[in-house]
Amino acid sequence: MATDWLQLRAGERAWLQIKEQGLNENAVKLLMGASGGPKWFILQGLDRYLFGEFFAQRQTPLDLLGTSAGAWRFAALGQQDPVAASELFSRLYSTQTYSAKPDVNEITNEARKLLNEYIPDDAVHDILRQERFRHHWIVARCRGLTSSEGKRQLFGLLTSAAANSVKRSWLGKFYERVIFHHPASSASFTEHWNDLPTLYATLSSDNFKKALLATGSIPLVLEGVRDIPGAPPGIYRDGGVTDYHFDLDLSHVDGLVLYPHFHHEVIPGWFDKRNKKRRTTGRQWPNVILLTPTQEFIDALPFGKIPDRTDFAKLDAEQRLKYWQQAIEQGKWMADQLHEWIATDKIRDKVELWT
């Protein structure tokens, strides 16, 4: 029996639709990408397939929702050659090296260099001019001590984590969710996101790179981004702080939501990782299709795990680069399997009800 590298689960409405009709690219109205740093390497093969084949001929608009690495991945869409852009991002990110003890300034400067090589100014123009792929990035606008750097920021983070552990809505005392959206989008599917204070800003040539840098600016690791043009003044940080894997109302998406994800669980916010009671499920997301690696896929990876940021500290540069490249190559197994399931209509049998 052939090994399944990919697990495909769907909320009830999406599950029924796939069972009856299979999966058609025009049925998908929203593509989602989560925070997670290097974890996304195993999804690069899926991105390549989705960007270069599945959505390649699409004419109707596709909304994109991303935080941190998810937003950076999707910035390939709307460029002249999305597959080439995705592969460039993968290469630049996976081959990053730092000094023995990099500080916040060094890591931030390297992120800026990567961003400018991955998305030159003409690519920003192309993305904003086209209307097929409509970007939506979540960025956290900081309040109080969380807008500081250094030890004051650490105290703010600890305080906000404590508040979040009591009630997720209390996170809104420390952060505002800011949705930067493509100028062709009204962001109407987000209008009922009132779990946290939520603001909106339109993406432009003036703020595109700053907003993208901000949504990946991990607290204590990168500097916050100050005063993004077209948005309220303040310090902006990683969108995963408020929306790590998402816990949002998607009922106003007029169609299916496709969510390639690296983890079998969906963790709402950055501070919810250890709170096992806070997980988003298909019961809350009836229109979502969740694509994740199987345990067999993970077991076949070097070290039996997917890449993560701790690899910088645990492995030397040569080991890490080799491991990450293997993870990227192995991710193609999931892409090949999804392609086969869709082409042969096996997807009707492979989809599981996500409860």
Side-chain angles (χ1 to χ4, degrees):
M1 181 181 292
T3 301
D4 281 352
W5 307 114
L6 180 68
Q7 183 177 32
L8 193 153
R9 290 175 288 165
E12 187 172 14
R13 183 153 64 86
W15 178 80
L16 283 170
Q17 187 164 332
I18 293 173
K19 282 287 188 182
E20 293 172 359
Q21 304 172 24
L23 182 59
N24 181 282
E25 70 275 13
N26 290 313
V28 178
K29 302 300 183 183
L30 176 66
L31 180 66
M32 295 207 302
S35 304
K39 296 181 179 74
W40 83 274
F41 289 142
I42 65 166
L43 302 177
Q44 205 277 327
L46 283 169
D47 285 354
R48 179 187 173 91
Y49 166 63
L50 294 173
F51 299 177
E53 295 186 51
F54 189 69
F55 291 125
Q57 304 305 316
R58 187 187 182 97
Q59 297 303 315
T60 57
L62 177 68
D63 287 322
L64 313 168
L65 176 65
T67 58
S68 199
W72 282 64
R73 286 163 52 204
F74 292 167
L77 286 164
Q79 295 197 43
Q80 291 289 328
D81 188 337
V83 171
S86 177
E87 291 181 339
L88 174 62
F89 177 44
S90 176
R91 178 175 61 79
L92 293 172
Y93 193 171
S94 64
T95 57
Q96 277 189 312
T97 55
Y98 302 100
S99 63
K101 293 184 178 181
D103 59 13
V104 168
N105 184 60
E106 179 183 347
I107 296 171
T108 302
N109 286 336
E110 288 299 318
R112 290 196 184 104
K113 290 178 188 176
L114 191 160
L115 174 60
N116 288 323
E117 188 170 351
Y118 171 37
I119 309 176
D121 291 343
D122 58 349
V124 174
H125 177 72
D126 290 338
I127 293 167
L128 295 176
R129 184 177 57 181
Q130 61 82 46
E131 298 186 3
R132 274 201 306 156
F133 301 107
R134 304 190 299 196
H135 295 267
H136 303 80
W137 306 334
I138 295 176
V139 183
R141 180 172 178 257
C142 298
R143 293 175 163 181
L145 290 177
T146 63
S147 63
S148 304
E149 300 294 348
K151 292 181 179 180
R152 285 170 61 85
Q153 182 192 166
L154 176 59
F155 183 73
L157 285 170
L158 293 172
T159 306
S160 59
N164 177 79
S165 68
V166 178
K167 189 179 291 187
R168 178 163 156 76
S169 62
W170 286 4
L171 201 58
K173 299 177 184 294
F174 302 88
Y175 307 95
E176 293 173 324
R177 174 192 293 130
V178 182
I179 301 171
F180 286 86
H181 62 88
H182 192 281
S185 173
S186 65
S188 59
F189 69 93
T190 73
E191 288 175 354
H192 295 268
W193 294 358
N194 54 15
D195 56 319
L196 296 173
T198 301
L199 308 173
Y200 294 84
T202 304
L203 285 168
S204 69
S205 57
D206 292 331
N207 66 22
F208 190 96
K209 289 187 182 181
K210 277 199 166 187
L212 191 55
L213 181 64
T215 193
S217 293
I218 305 166
L220 301 177
V221 177
L222 280 82
E223 297 169 1
V225 177
R226 181 180 294 277
D227 298 341
I228 300 176
I235 296 291
Y236 291 80
R237 302 194 193 278
D238 197 307
V241 173
T242 56
D243 298 278
Y244 188 55
H245 299 167
F246 310 112
D247 183 30
L248 298 165
D249 179 2
L250 300 178
S251 63
H252 293 269
V253 177
D254 186 22
L256 301 181
V257 178
L258 189 62
Y259 191 4
H261 192 32
F262 44 77
H263 201 284
H264 68 281
E265 293 183 318
V266 177
I267 303 168
W270 199 43
F271 298 119
D272 296 322
K273 296 177 187 179
R274 296 181 181 178
N275 187 343
K276 294 293 185 180
K277 293 181 179 179
R278 288 191 189 162
R279 295 294 183 265
T280 310
T281 69
R283 212 175 264 118
Q284 296 150 276
W285 282 350
N287 57 342
V288 174
I289 303 162
L290 187 70
L291 306 175
T292 56
T294 60
Q295 189 58 49
E296 289 81 2
F297 177 94
I298 295 171
D299 290 343
L301 284 167
F303 311 110
K305 72 172 192 68
I306 63 175
D308 60 56
R309 285 195 300 111
T310 66
D311 297 332
F312 280 105
K314 294 179 179 178
L315 303 173
D316 64 39
E318 184 178 353
Q319 284 180 307
R320 176 174 56 81
L321 297 182
K322 182 179 179 181
Y323 163 37
W324 283 6
Q325 186 57 42
Q326 285 181 263
I328 292 167
E329 289 299 316
Q330 188 172 313
K332 296 174 182 177
W333 301 353
M334 291 193 292
D336 290 343
Q337 200 154 62
L338 179 62
H339 187 190
E340 179 200 351
W341 290 353
I342 292 174
T344 61
D345 220 19
K346 285 182 182 177
I347 197 164
R348 298 184 193 222
D349 298 321
K350 293 295 184 178
V351 66
E352 303 170 27
L353 182 62
W354 184 25
T355 58

